[in-house]
Structures are given as C-alpha cells and as structure tokens.
Amino acid sequence: MGSAGSADRYLPDTVQQAVKILVVGDFGVGKTTMIGAVSEIEPLRTEETMTQASVGVDDLAGLGSKTTTTVAMDFGRITLSPYTALYLFGTPGQRRFWDLWAGLGEGAVGALVLVDTRRIEGSFEVIDQLELRGDLPFAVAVNHFPDSADHSPQALREALDLEPGTPIVNCDARSRSSSVDALITLVEHALALQKGPS
Amino acid sequence: MSGESHDSGEYHDSAVRPYVLTQGRARPTRNTIGLDTLLVVADAGKPLSPSATRQSRDLLRMCARLLSLAEAAAHLRLPLSVAGILASDLVDSGHLIARSRIPEAGRPDLTTLQEVLNGLRRLS
Ligand SMILES: Nc1nc2c(ncn2[C@@H]2O[C@H](COP(=O)(O)OP(=O)(O)O)[C@@H](O)[C@H]2O)c(=O)[nH]1
Ligand SMILES: [Mg+2]
C-alpha cells in the first residue's frame, strides 16, 4: 500500500499496545504476499538468530556441533485503533525453526497457518507442532493458486487431520479483504478459546 | 527440506555470532523487550555517554518517535537480537521508554482481542 517514506514510518503517539499474529507455513505458500496485502507500511524484513547445540532433524549424525541459523522474517503493521497496533510476522514453518517461533509466539494472538494445496504435506509438521503445543490459537488458511485443485474445506480438513475446533478458510493471499477475513477467523477463534466453553 | 538448502531466502546458517556489537552478551539484561515492544525516546535532550556505539546512537535516533523494536531493527539492518540488547540498555539508562507489551507466556486479554477483532472488521 503506497510507499512508506520515513514520514509515515512511525506510529501515532496515542498507540499504547502492540499485538502480534504469526503467519506460518512452508517456503512459497504466500506469507510475504499476505503480509504485503494487508500491511499499512511497506513490508519490512528482519533477522533473528538461533543458536542450538543441534538443529532439529538435521543433526542426525549426532555431532553436537553448534550452528547459528539466521532466519529472515517479513513483517507488516496495521494500526487498528488509536490505541492498538497489530504486527504480522511471517515465519517459516519447518521443524528446525520451532524453537524460534516458540519465542515469537509468546504473547501472540495466535498463528495463521498458510497451506498450499499443491504441497499439502508441507503443512503437516507445523500443524502437528501447534496441536502438540496447545497454547497458541491457530487457524488454517488455504491459499489458492491458479493450478490448485478444487478441494472443499471439509476434504482438506480431513486431509490435514485437523482437530474439530480448528477453523479452516479459503483465502487469496494477494487480496487484502480475503487476507483480512482469514485474520478475522483466527481472532474470533482466539477470542472463543479465551472465553472458554460457554 | 534439506539441511543443505541454505539459500531459500528465508534463512542461512553460519558460525559467526553477532556478539561483537553487544560486548559479548547474547541476551538483554531484561527479557521484557520483544520484537513487538514499542519504543520511543524518553528525553530528546539527554546525551548518550561518549563511549556509546554508533549502533546505539542510530537506534536512539530511529526511536525519535514511536515504533516497534522489529521496525527499528529492520530500518537499521540490525539483527533483532542485537537491537534488543541495545534497546534494553537504552531503556535501563533512561534514554528510551518501552511501552507495555502483552506479558510473556500470557495471551492478550479479552478486551484486547475484542479490540483487534473490531479493528479488523472495520478493514473488511
Ligand atoms: N496465484 C497466486 N499466487 C500467489 C498467492 N500467494 C502468493 N503467490 C505467489 O507465490 C509466490 C510465493 O509467495 P511468497 O509470498 O513469497 O511466499 P512465502 O515464501 O511464504 O513468503 C510469489 O510469487 C507470489 O506472487 C495466491 O494467493 N495466488
Ligand atoms: Mg517470504
């Protein structure tokens, strides 16, 4: 949206709190596209480093060497009210990055998992992990590409083996309104979980 | 996924750690600063110590008005962890103010979630 010169780089001084949502998924599922579609600022990129004694499944040899992995995250911002700003952080979903987004998820509203139906298996790991953690509300947004087959959300729910309460919606990550709708689904879900069983 | 695909554009591996800029510390002295912490200069006139690094000076200047740690880090091309340590020091020394963020481990409260929802609905 427009070009964000340094004049509109800043938040209104009235803003008192920031909230965040993680947009997770495999490389190429449309994370950066979605963030760009909804952000009021030109999407920004920052890097986070992870140092681990072993890096997940890559350390099968058990060499115990330390690696520093630098993960790039794209993010955008929506000033939702004079009081509140929302940040969207796009983070890769692969297993080796879970330690990273464990930290990122602290205090987050939740995670929106982007799924590309042409490579559905790329989403299994991240959904498993979110279900296992159980503490970060999440919803699934199915990003449609021109050559995607037409799956019904119900068929995809079964293919992804989603828990019954997890919302799943179709979206077009290039469309602002479609992406906002997917975010609304996530926040409604987070709100319902926070309220508890009624 | 393969451990060899170091060049997806989303991540890269290295043996070099960003300790140089932070005098060897890997973590902020306080862990209340996160990437969504909002920062703003506390007292525009307060001078930095002459020994302050260029990165600290740049960060303080970047926070002349309100923005998040992630934004400041991105504009200055600093790794998030480095910017977090520098920001934490500037908060401790009274140069920067950090606006409250959602408490660690906790979730945003109902009022906040409702406000986020209303804000998003206004956009759609
Ligand atoms: N047709 C179509 N293409 C998309 C959509 N979302 C993303 N793309 C394209 O898919 C590619 C990868 O998207 P990107 O946002 O970079 O994915 P990321 O790796 O998850 O950040 C880009 O070339 C996008 O233009 C979508 O909803 N429909
Ligand atoms: Mg991307």
Side-chain angles (χ1 to χ4, degrees), chain A residues 7 9-13 15-20 27 31 41 44-49 51 57-58 66-73 75 77-78 80-81 83-84 86-87 89 92 94 96-97 104-109 133 135-137 176 180-181 183-184 187-188 190-191 194-195, chain B residues 1-3 5-6 8-19 35-38 40 61-68 70-75 78-82 99-124:
Chain A
R9 128 185 324 176
Y10 293 100
L11 285 165
D13 194 52
V15 173
Q16 296 298 322
Q17 63 172 358
V19 292
K20 62 185 170 182
F27 183 67
K31 302 183 293 293
I41 55 169
L44 293 167
R45 168 165 274 222
T46 186
E47 291 188 336
E48 182 66 293
T49 53
T51 304
V57 292
D58 295 340
K66 281 201 174 182
T67 314
T68 294
T69 300
T70 303
V71 187
M73 289 182 294
F75 66 98
R77 184 184 86 196
I78 310 171
L80 290 176
S81 77
Y83 185 77
T84 303
L86 170 65
Y87 287 89
F89 289 95
Q94 296 93 318
R96 61 181 310 206
F97 302 119
L104 284 175
E106 283 171 1
V109 170
R133 286 174 51 117
D135 63 341
L136 190 62
R176 178 165 185 262
V180 167
D181 285 347
L183 292 169
I184 287 174
V187 180
E188 283 172 342
L191 199 59
Q194 183 81 276
K195 282 181 176 157
Chain B
M1 181 198 68
S2 131
S5 61
H6 289 198
S8 70
E10 290 197 316
Y11 68 93
H12 65 88
D13 298 320
S14 71
V16 185
R17 302 178 195 176
Y19 290 178
L35 73 181
D36 53 336
T37 299
L38 299 180
V40 69
R61 203 172 308 121
M62 181 59 65
C63 298
R65 286 171 51 208
L66 191 65
L67 84 184
S68 65
E71 289 168 293
H75 290 309
L78 284 173
L80 213 42
S81 49
V82 171
R99 290 209 179 150
S100 62
R101 62 192 285 245
I102 306 301
E104 299 288 335
R107 293 285 151 227
D109 61 23
L110 282 177
T111 315
T112 303
L113 289 175
Q114 192 63 57
E115 194 179 335
V116 172
L117 188 54
N118 294 345
L120 287 171
R121 282 180 177 155
R122 278 192 295 273
L123 293 178
S124 76

Side-chain angles (χ1 to χ4, degrees), chain B residues 9-80:
Chain B
E10 290 197 316
Y11 68 93
H12 65 88
D13 298 320
S14 71
V16 185
R17 302 178 195 176
Y19 290 178
V20 187
L21 297 175
T22 57
Q23 277 106 35
R25 280 174 300 134
R27 296 201 177 285
T29 50
R30 54 171 81 195
N31 61 6
T32 50
I33 300 215
L35 73 181
D36 53 336
T37 299
L38 299 180
L39 300 168
V40 69
V41 69
D43 173 0
K46 185 172 177 175
L48 274 172
S49 117
S51 65
T53 60
R54 183 172 59 77
Q55 284 78 16
S56 291
R57 291 177 192 285
D58 289 348
L59 181 59
L60 191 57
R61 203 172 308 121
M62 181 59 65
C63 298
R65 286 171 51 208
L66 191 65
L67 84 184
S68 65
L69 175 69
E71 289 168 293
H75 290 309
L76 294 171
R77 296 177 207 289
L78 284 173
L80 213 42

Side-chain angles (χ1 to χ4, degrees), chain A residues 158-177:
Chain A
E158 278 162 26
L160 290 166
D161 195 22
L162 292 183
E163 288 171 353
T166 304
I168 179 167
V169 290
N170 287 320
C171 87
D172 181 338
R174 298 163 303 175
S175 152
R176 178 165 185 262
S177 63

